[in-house]
Amino acid sequence: MRTPSSGRSAGRPRDHEKGRAILDAAWFLFLERGVEATSIEAIAAAAKVSKVTLYSHYPDRTALFEASVRREMERIEQAQGLHRHDTATPFIDQLRAFGLGIMFFLTSRPAIDFYNVVAGELRRHEDLARAFYDLGPGRTRANLAALLNAGVRSKQLKKLDPHIAAEELFGLWQGFTNFQFSLGIDIDATRADLSARVERGVRIFMLAYGAKPVHSRLR
């Protein structure tokens, strides 16, 4: 049994494993139940820590929610690194890779749960909502715009406004899938069609903006 003197001394770093377990448990419960319906007691039980331990890491549920969202923002930021411009890869293949990466992410269960359950809570945290948008959707748009701008410089694309064109291309990829996944309609069929959907979007986009003719039958 630990004695009081064997506990964490002043200045000693907190137990990162327990902190991670608390965030994991909180995020799972937030997505499953919603933020308001998730109690501190439930989070502590799921993380297998005491309430005292939980409060030593996070003063209240709001702080825990914000920490959970910021961790998800960091994961999105890391994923965005996969979409940096690669001059060794043909431009059209870069568009396909970008589209596949973002669409498979957006149709993943964690992303669907986030937007269905947690997005409403974000509206009550204006600064956090803006930060999440800038780092998530905003950065996705900026990265895609940068890729399109590189296509203009390399003469793969006609002159265009990269931010508007990025929104148009993303719209071709996404279509109505956000409604389908939010409502749980035709999920398996939509996921099975993602690769073909991305390919169609790239081809239509290149027909509109490509500097050279695209000889490919749309499926």
Side-chain angles (χ1 to χ4, degrees), residues 150-165:
V152 173
R153 291 197 305 270
S154 64
K155 303 188 184 305
Q156 300 293 313
L157 297 176
K158 302 172 186 176
K159 187 176 180 181
L160 49 74
D161 182 317
H163 295 284
I164 293 175

Side-chain angles (χ1 to χ4, degrees), residues 99-116:
L100 288 171
I102 194 63
M103 287 306 299
F104 276 104
F105 170 77
L106 290 176
T107 57
S108 66
R109 176 50 58 187
I112 294 168
D113 287 345
F114 173 83
Y115 284 105
N116 284 348

Side-chain angles (χ1 to χ4, degrees), residues 26-35 38 43 61 65 68 117:
W27 191 243
F28 175 82
L29 292 174
F30 288 156
L31 294 180
E32 182 182 63
R33 306 178 183 180
V35 178
T38 300
I43 295 170
R61 186 174 56 187
F65 171 70
S68 298
V117 179

Side-chain angles (χ1 to χ4, degrees), residues 107-139:
T107 57
S108 66
R109 176 50 58 187
I112 294 168
D113 287 345
F114 173 83
Y115 284 105
N116 284 348
V117 179
V118 181
E121 182 69 19
L122 273 176
R123 285 194 287 270
R124 291 189 279 272
H125 301 260
E126 184 176 349
D127 292 344
L128 191 62
R130 169 55 62 181
F132 181 85
Y133 177 84
D134 289 344
L135 191 55
R139 179 157 302 187

Side-chain angles (χ1 to χ4, degrees), residues 18 39 46 74 81 89 95 100 102 175:
K18 289 183 179 178
S39 67
E74 291 173 0
T89 302
L95 289 184
L100 288 171
I102 194 63

